[in-house]
Amino acid sequence: MRFLVRFLGFLFTAGTVVFLAGVGVAAGLMWHFSKDLPEYSQLQDYEPPVMTRVHAVDGSLLGEYAKERRLYLPIQAMPKLVINAFLAAEDKNFYEHGGIDYTGMARAGLLLIQNFGSNRRPQGASTITQQVAKNFLLTNEVSFARKIKEALLAMRIEKAYSKDKILELYLNEIYLGLGAYGIAAASLVYFDKSVNELTVAEASYLAALPKAPALLHPVKNHDRAIERRNYVIDRLLENGWIQQADADKARKEPLAVTSRSNGAHTFAGEYFAEEVRRDIFERYGEKKLYEGGLSIRTTLDPKIQVMARKAMVTGLVNYDEQQGYRGAMSKLDISGDWGVKLAEIKSLSDISPWRMAVVLETSDQSARIGFQPSRELGGAVSKQRETGLITADGVRWARAAQGKTPTSVAQVLQPGDVIYADPLYSKEGQPVEGQYRLRQIPEVSGAMVAMDPWTGRVLAMVGGFSFDQSQFNRATQAYRQPGSTIKPIVYSAALDNGYTPSSVLVDGPIEIDQGQAGVWRPDNFSVGKYQGPTTLRNALRLSLNTVTVRLAQDIGMPLIGEYAKRYGVYDELPNYLSYALGTGETTVIRMATAYSMFANGGRRVKPTLIDRIQDRYGHTIFKHDQRECRGCDAPGGWKNQAEPQLIDRREQVLDVLTAYQITSMMEGVVQGGTAGALREVGKPIAGKTGTTSDAKDLWFVGFSSDLVVGLYVGYDKPRSLGRSAQAGHTAAPIARDFMKLALADKPATPFRIPAGIKLVRVDAKTGMRAVPGESGRTILEAFKPGTAPSDNYSAIGMTDEDGRTPQLPPETGFIMRPGTGGLW
């Protein structure tokens, strides 16, 4: 008995020693691993990298920029279904444990013993809190020391933060594959849905991803992904979070992943979106752009953007097809599976409905083509093969451009030719089923900008034929000679300094001594043809170069340079007379901005692509409209106070009366001059064409009462567009087609006549006051106070032998000497 007592005492003593030793070792380990634990309080101020999102004026998504695709979603905004799915998959006892789930650890250990030797994946025992500790504060090192630190941090985090805060951090931080971080971004990436729209099956699949997103790829590992999704569905049912019927329906639901398209492709806004990205990068830097979670509301109008894109692309293609068919892009061996080979060739993704195809067989009447197959989400080439026919109608343009009768399709296309094709339309505008039209990527390019003249808001921007082909934005980055579109700036300087639209100058040969550069003899587009004495209005309407040069000589290039700087067309303009004809290089957006100041009565506008920028918390950090709003703040609501007033303190860069005069003169360019194509719009339009030396660039810039459009057509490496190329035949029709669409629902609003303008009837040819009763060739001309049409006919630029300007009869003619042609 005594032995038994002694033995029990020994065991108790030994047990106590072991217990105390264990406690000491545990305390020592805790002290050892606790002394260099990361500071968990940083979680309170944690700001994860969140992607910047760019929106159009109607709120539609234009673009997203991020290194980690993440949208931060507060726990209050997360649906209960989504929360329960992740708890079922990762930590069903989350709201019961204190950071470490001892029951879960025991269960995982027991399962490990039971499944020892099998290939089954061991069940994880890490709680969501432990995963937060690891993801935010520790590395992914696999070691006993890291697990201890993870557990210690989990317990501390549980004491410092609420369960909802911990779960919010977890659901926004986890990586869920395909570049998506957090549940909100993953919901968009996988299913193109907000989290509130997810079904039980979809939420369960996303909840299955945290452990191994690559191994549960929805296409590459489809069966395994379904198995793991169904496991989560079973856990939801087991925990009583869904009904049996919901579980049965969810298991039968296919795993259909929707590849999310680029928002910019939706309405051809790639050039615009990229310009915004560059702007944000310059304003705030790379980190803010890709991690700052900015919300950017842009000025782009998707409807107008689609119209601009359609008109510009159609114009480029029409011009290019007139130059002839250049042949297939490349050749392809069509033996075997042609689809896989064709899929390897890079095609342009932003020129829908054009599609890349390969010619499979040809005959005199048609060619059978096979279209490039799509790729699945995992990158594999789709097994579907789609074919179609190109008939004689589909290649008619190619043969006609070669000056040949389009009698045989086989004369144009050969088997193995890699081409582009799009649906063939009947004369009634309906697509002909199964038939397609041959297309070719145009060599010529160009750009277009449409903007609001009152605010400078850019409503649409086309930077070239295809962003996928070239990211060079010709609307903002291409510096080209504007040709005669610069003339309204020259004429506005003259009108601001004593001239009137009825002032008469000589259109005739002129020689300019340029010193060592020799003698310059500018000429009109129609070489050797002159109007003689002519009014400023007619000179602008007919785009007469010699009149413009004489005008520039009279008022001086320094003054013209000052006006060009005011408008923002040039930063500095050299004092050479040739610059009055548009030989200095500028951009489309600068020209559109300058014309906006004619349209809005001479107020300075600054072009902008961005209306407002908000940070991740919704605070506005930038707003384009800086006008003061008096009375906009109305605390206590509406109490019959006076209406709010917008105070516009923008600089007046041009006299409002001059702005109307030049607008009226450019309206004449449309009604009876080089921009006559715009008459078809059926609305009041003012504008000017421009054709540069050797027709290397063709321009049109013009406006209605509330829309400005500027565009040019030209090769990226400037070369002549053809001896007969004219802006009125190529650029103006593009503007016409665009403005027809953009202004279709707008009233025909005439340009506002400012107070002070006096409309006087004058002779359209001489500019003299009209004789009472005469109506054949008279017009109403705009004059400023203190000016009036002349009663005597005199022409600036013509002198008699005494050096005086002679008084001439209206029908005076004289012999002209030919010079050299150029700009007009």
Side-chain angles (χ1 to χ4, degrees), residues 211-537:
K211 287 288 192 290
L215 297 178
L216 299 176
H217 192 282
V219 177
K220 294 179 180 178
N221 301 303
H222 185 77
D223 293 341
R224 190 170 182 177
I226 290 284
E227 180 185 355
R228 180 64 181 172
R229 181 201 69 178
N230 291 345
Y231 166 82
V232 177
I233 294 171
D234 292 341
R235 299 292 76 75
L236 280 168
L237 178 63
E238 181 183 291
N239 295 330
W241 291 334
I242 60 172
Q243 301 298 317
Q244 182 68 53
D246 296 328
D248 293 340
K249 179 182 177 182
R251 288 193 203 96
K252 294 177 183 177
E253 190 175 310
L255 180 54
V257 176
T258 303
S259 179
R260 194 161 185 240
S261 62
N262 184 340
H265 278 188
T266 307
F267 34 77
E270 299 91 344
Y271 284 106
F272 192 102
E274 175 60 16
E275 196 68 23
V276 170
R277 188 200 66 81
R278 281 197 291 263
D279 189 340
I280 299 301
F281 184 90
E282 291 174 3
R283 286 175 190 263
Y284 303 112
E286 181 179 6
K287 184 175 179 63
K288 195 80 168 179
L289 169 64
Y290 293 107
E291 301 179 13
L294 301 176
S295 176
I296 302 166
R297 180 60 62 95
T298 70
T299 61
L300 182 135
D301 185 321
K303 292 181 181 178
I304 294 181
Q305 176 66 35
V306 169
M307 296 172 185
R309 162 81 179 168
K310 178 181 178 181
M312 193 71 200
V313 166
T314 300
L316 295 178
V317 169
N318 287 345
Y319 172 83
D320 187 72
E321 288 185 352
Q322 292 169 10
Q323 312 312 305
Y325 181 54
R326 294 184 296 276
M329 298 165 49
S330 61
K331 299 289 287 188
L332 187 69
D333 179 7
I334 56 176
S335 61
D337 188 354
W338 53 265
V340 173
K341 300 173 186 176
L342 187 60
E344 296 302 317
I345 301 177
K346 186 183 184 310
S347 62
L348 303 181
S349 63
D350 60 345
I351 58 173
S352 178
W354 292 22
R355 297 170 63 187
M356 181 178 282
V358 62
V359 178
L360 301 176
E361 57 186 18
T362 62
S363 67
D364 287 345
Q365 300 304 316
S366 66
R368 190 167 70 91
I369 58 174
F371 290 103
Q372 186 179 55
S374 60
R375 290 186 179 271
E376 297 174 345
L377 191 61
V381 177
S382 171
K383 295 180 180 179
Q384 290 186 339
R385 300 291 179 267
E386 185 181 350
T387 61
L389 287 179
I390 294 181
T391 60
D393 286 340
V395 299
R396 192 177 304 278
W397 68 268
R399 299 284 293 152
Q402 297 170 4
K404 302 175 183 177
T405 304
T407 56
S408 171
V409 176
Q411 290 177 317
V412 178
L413 300 174
Q414 298 296 321
D417 284 355
V418 177
I419 59 170
Y420 277 97
D422 71 342
L424 181 69
Y425 286 84
S426 65
K427 293 180 180 178
E428 293 74 28
Q430 299 298 320
V432 181
E433 186 176 357
Q435 293 190 26
Y436 296 86
R437 187 182 192 277
L438 173 66
R439 293 293 192 183
Q440 71 178 356
I441 304 298
E443 286 186 336
V444 71
S445 195
M448 178 191 289
V449 168
M451 62 194 297
D452 180 343
W454 301 95
T455 62
R457 300 172 68 249
V458 177
L459 305 176
M461 176 182 290
V462 182
F465 175 76
S466 164
F467 184 79
D468 217 18
Q469 179 190 36
S470 167
Q471 296 184 17
F472 179 65
N473 190 341
R474 295 155 188 82
T476 60
Q477 296 175 303
Y479 279 79
R480 316 287 289 217
Q481 292 183 356
S484 289
T485 58
I486 201 69
K487 288 178 181 175
I489 293 173
V490 178
Y491 282 56
S492 67
L495 293 173
D496 244 5
N497 289 275
Y499 280 80
T500 74
S502 289
S503 296
V504 178
L505 287 88
V506 171
D507 175 33
I510 184 172
E511 296 183 351
I512 309 295
D513 187 356
Q514 301 179 106
Q516 293 183 349
V519 176
W520 178 45
R521 298 181 179 89
D523 209 335
N524 297 325
F525 180 78
S526 299
V527 177
K529 294 183 179 179
Y530 304 97
Q531 301 293 315
T534 188
T535 64
L536 282 192
R537 174 180 287 275

Side-chain angles (χ1 to χ4, degrees), residues 499 503-506 533 550 554 790 792-809:
Y499 280 80
S503 296
V504 178
L505 287 88
V506 171
R550 283 190 167 91
D554 190 51
S790 176
N792 297 313
Y793 190 63
S794 62
I796 299 168
M798 176 174 285
T799 58
D800 58 20
E801 57 270 14
D802 297 323
R804 295 174 299 183
T805 300
Q807 307 301 317
L808 303 170

Side-chain angles (χ1 to χ4, degrees), residues 75-247:
I75 191 69
Q76 295 85 354
M78 293 186 187
K80 195 67 177 175
L81 170 63
V82 172
I83 292 174
N84 288 341
F86 278 86
L87 294 181
E90 295 294 319
D91 188 359
K92 74 172 186 176
N93 298 322
F94 173 72
Y95 280 97
E96 281 75 47
H97 62 65
I100 300 175
D101 186 2
Y102 298 103
T103 304
M105 290 175 65
R107 183 172 60 251
L110 183 61
L111 286 174
L112 180 62
I113 294 172
Q114 290 177 351
N115 297 329
F116 184 76
S118 70
N119 291 325
R120 290 189 180 182
R121 181 178 177 270
Q123 181 173 320
S126 292
T127 64
I128 283 177
T129 313
Q130 287 176 278
Q131 293 183 55
V132 167
K134 181 188 72 172
N135 292 340
F136 285 83
L137 304 172
L138 299 171
T139 66
N140 288 323
E141 174 193 4
V142 180
S143 68
F144 181 69
R146 201 266 294 166
K147 291 298 291 184
I148 293 177
K149 290 181 179 181
E150 182 184 291
L152 293 173
L153 279 171
M155 290 187 287
R156 294 187 179 186
I157 290 171
E158 287 276 351
K159 292 179 180 179
Y161 303 106
S162 68
K163 287 286 188 179
D164 283 349
K165 178 65 176 178
I166 296 168
L167 189 58
E168 179 182 294
L169 290 170
Y170 172 75
L171 290 175
N172 282 290
E173 176 66 18
I174 49 174
Y175 178 63
L176 295 172
L178 300 186
Y181 290 79
I183 181 63
S187 179
L188 291 171
V189 169
Y190 283 95
F191 302 111
D192 200 13
K193 291 181 177 181
S194 71
V195 290
N196 296 300
E197 299 173 306
L198 293 174
T199 65
V200 171
E202 291 166 346
S204 298
Y205 173 68
L206 294 181
L209 290 171
K211 287 288 192 290
L215 297 178
L216 299 176
H217 192 282
V219 177
K220 294 179 180 178
N221 301 303
H222 185 77
D223 293 341
R224 190 170 182 177
I226 290 284
E227 180 185 355
R228 180 64 181 172
R229 181 201 69 178
N230 291 345
Y231 166 82
V232 177
I233 294 171
D234 292 341
R235 299 292 76 75
L236 280 168
L237 178 63
E238 181 183 291
N239 295 330
W241 291 334
I242 60 172
Q243 301 298 317
Q244 182 68 53
D246 296 328

